[in-house]
Amino acid sequence: LGSILSWDLNDRPDLENRALQAKKALQAMMPNVFRNPHVSTHVKRMLYMAIPMNLLLWGCETWALKESDWNILRVFHTSSIRRIFNLSMAEVQENRIRNVDLYPMFEIDPIDNIVASRQLRWLGKIAMMKETRLPRKFINAWHPNPRPVGRPLTTIRHTYLRALKLIDELDESDSAGKLDGWMRTIRLNPPDWETRRLALTPHIIGFQSPTNIE
């Protein structure tokens, strides 16, 4: 599928390209799959996760997501569910259907949880790597040059800390985020880590065994 690397290391071009590909796939599947009355909701959800969602989130394990980027993902997810159920905005407003009401209709999880689950799976793999592996080295890498004036840019570290907070691995006041701490937690009890990760997306099926994150 490929990824787009920007000169300034911004993930927005890659995210927008992934969203475009996912929209095309969703549109192509709409008449024969998602609007087909003979296809069950369960099958529609599985196909939605297998094709449009995988196209959208390809490479999300290493995305440094700003709030505006999260909004792109949320809009795609909720608008896709509305299209699958053929809900117009007029019906949504008339019946006061909120975004959180759409997830139970499709028996699916919020995209924040889906992304976090994928990122935590990648973090689990990094924690089990030898310290000589490049991904393991990069997770603790830093640059010695002085930081520019102003608020620091959003990095992959911020996104990982957000995911860790969703499974209560970090306290809300722990802004530094002790990376060595969660890596030690994974190595000590991989099944427990995987169980908590899977709990973020209880509606998604087909995961590997909780004991298999190596």
Side-chain angles (χ1 to χ4, degrees):
L1 293 174
S3 295
I4 296 177
L5 297 180
S6 176
W7 66 270
D8 58 355
L9 301 181
N10 191 326
D11 289 315
R12 177 62 70 83
D14 189 30
L15 172 59
E16 291 177 341
N17 179 61
R18 297 258 58 85
L20 178 61
Q21 299 303 319
K23 288 177 182 178
K24 290 180 179 179
L26 185 76
Q27 179 61 33
M29 299 173 65
M30 193 61 66
N32 296 322
V33 178
F34 296 128
R35 294 286 177 82
N36 190 334
H38 303 292
V39 179
S40 67
T41 301
H42 172 73
V43 172
K44 290 178 182 179
R45 182 179 69 253
M46 292 179 64
L47 291 173
Y48 172 74
M49 291 300 304
I51 300 179
M53 186 57 67
N54 273 339
L55 284 172
L56 176 68
L57 298 183
W58 181 266
C60 73
E61 292 84 356
T62 57
W63 284 349
L65 296 171
K66 301 186 287 290
E67 191 61 30
S68 58
D69 299 328
W70 280 108
N71 288 335
I72 292 177
L73 296 175
R74 292 170 188 143
V75 168
F76 174 85
H77 194 41
T78 54
S79 63
S80 297
I81 298 174
R82 287 197 301 269
R83 291 187 63 191
I84 290 171
F85 284 92
N86 199 20
L87 290 172
S88 66
M89 289 306 299
E91 291 177 296
V92 170
Q93 294 175 358
E94 181 180 352
N95 298 316
R96 298 184 180 180
I97 301 175
R98 301 170 300 170
N99 286 340
V100 294
D101 299 324
L102 296 172
Y103 307 135
M105 293 172 58
F106 202 31
E107 297 179 0
I108 202 168
D109 305 293
I111 200 164
D112 297 59
N113 290 26
I114 297 173
V115 172
S117 179
R118 293 186 178 214
Q119 292 177 336
L120 292 173
R121 178 174 56 189
W122 173 236
L123 288 177
K125 293 180 181 294
I126 291 177
M128 302 302 290
M129 291 177 182
K130 296 180 180 179
E131 294 186 0
T132 55
R133 296 280 302 275
L134 284 179
R136 181 68 183 274
K137 290 182 177 180
F138 282 139
I139 201 68
N140 285 321
W142 58 283
H143 201 282
N145 286 352
R147 192 175 67 192
V149 176
R151 186 190 184 282
L153 297 176
T154 301
T155 66
I156 188 60
R157 181 188 183 91
H158 295 103
T159 307
Y160 286 164
L161 293 179
R162 180 189 184 121
L164 289 167
K165 288 177 181 178
L166 286 179
I167 60 170
D168 297 325
E169 183 61 29
L170 291 179
D171 186 82
E172 289 294 334
S173 61
D174 186 7
S175 58
K178 309 297 190 299
L179 296 182
D180 290 338
W182 62 255
M183 286 195 290
R184 192 179 307 111
T185 299
I186 299 172
R187 290 194 296 268
L188 289 175
N189 196 347
D192 176 67
W193 170 267
E194 188 70 350
T195 299
R196 286 192 288 159
R197 181 186 75 82
L198 293 178
L200 287 175
T201 53
H203 292 105
I204 300 178
I205 64 172
F207 287 101
Q208 297 178 349
S209 168
T211 61
N212 185 17
I213 65 170
E214 289 86 357

